Amino acid sequence: VHRRGLGKKLYIKTYGCQMNAYDSARMADILAPLGFSQTDDPAGADLAIVNTCHIREKATDKLFADLGRLRGHQAAKAAAGGRMLLAVAGCVAQAEGAEVRRRAPFVDVVMGPQAYHRLPEFLARAVRDGGGVLETDFAVDEKFDALPAPAAGQFSANLTVQEGCDKFCTFCVVPYTRGAEYSRPVAGVLAEAGRLAQGGASEIVVLGQNVNAYHGAGPDGESWSLGRLLGALAAIDGVRRLRYMTSHPLEVDDDLARAHRDVAELMPFVHLPAQSGSDRILAAMNRRYGVAQYRRAVDRLRAARPDLAVSSDFIVGFPGETETDFAATLDLARTVGFAQAYAFKYSPRPGTPAAAMAGQVPEPVKARRLAELLAVVAEQQLAFNRAFEGRDVPVLLDRAGRRPGQLHGRSPHMQAVHVAAAPAMLGRTVAVRVERALSNSLAGRLAEPVSARRGAAVRASAADSGAIL
Ligand code: 5AD
Ligand code: SF4
């Protein structure tokens, strides 16, 4: 029961990945029974949380800039006789908690990603002792069981099944900030999915830093693969669409390919970061695969699901990257036929091996390579999207669109689709006739009068999605 009557205001600023968005939503859920409701305005908030991400550039600088601003609000609130508690969460808190406490002593709680279920306790302690709380232990197994179920009312809901990573790519902080790879037991995952579906989520996005390394303990005493888990999730009443991310190319196995072949609810999309098209650079990154192996992983999934849309991340300007290495990345980007890809300039993360490597690439070179790669990626995305012009695609309308009168939704292939539709249609899966393809989205119109029965529309399109390309 939510005692919203107490009317305390909670402000959360979230950086980074979907994992963080999920965690922020769980923190809001855990605070709701204490009388906190969320606000977009930090002024006058009773509690402000900055949920940080260590992957993006200048994460620590941005955090201290945010904290500086929040401190102003904190002082204003104190002057008015109130109190604003400040908390820092996420990967920067995990990696640099002591530094945060030192440089920003006005912060009340600093906690790593595995401690969120104890947030109410930390707040109580901060209020009682006034000294500030620092909690950055890794007790991941407790966390999921202790967090409340996600709130209802989302049509596409995230579900974290795995956290942490043991791969130690030389550019990446995740193994240090999120700790060792941990897979949630199957029973808890299925129970949470059931609650999400009952709450109206017809799409479930299965999340993990390295989600296809999933090996959760099954009720049968066996360790379940991601492919097997996806099969069981698909069987849950109300689950019409399944997605998962992020995957590691090395961990693409038969179970996952089989799921793409046999599980109709599993959407034809995979985010499979390649990072580079050069074997030499991949080795220096400690990715543990070569370009040929990456292509084989893609081929294997495509053999199972021929219309699969493949997405990637790339890093340009990794230490030692030559023009020849970069040309190999452009070649990979041109030839795989990516539906979508993200590209980043390499940015040294303190404490990671690559930060100390010789051959750091000058900024202007990185910038030029990024622009070149982004141009190739935009071309590829546009070509992929153009193939849908004139077709009807089933779109799950999940939120308001950019313009009034528009809704936003996703195609099975993860394309963003904008369509003129009434707000009452949110949550439905409808056929959209694609009229125009851009490199980052599709625009279209409702293909047919939509049945008033939501279930009917959803069922029809779940069947459609198998036969789009
Ligand atoms: N520099 C640039 N990009 C990075 N990524 C991770 N660490 C770094 C870094 N140090 C990118 C990778 C990853 C994505 C989430 O962020 O491409 O797949
Ligand atoms: Fe980071 Fe992903 Fe490599 Fe793990 S596999 S170290 S999360 S880039």
Side-chain angles (χ1 to χ4, degrees), residues 12-14 19-29 38 51:
I12 307 185
K13 175 151 191 176
T14 306
M19 192 86 67
N20 264 17
Y22 176 89
D23 281 342
S24 288
R26 293 293 75 69
M27 284 191 268
D29 290 344
Q38 247 176 298
N51 192 4

Side-chain angles (χ1 to χ4, degrees), residues 29 78-79 178 187 282 306 315 412 416:
D29 290 344
R178 293 271 169 167
L282 287 171
I315 296 177

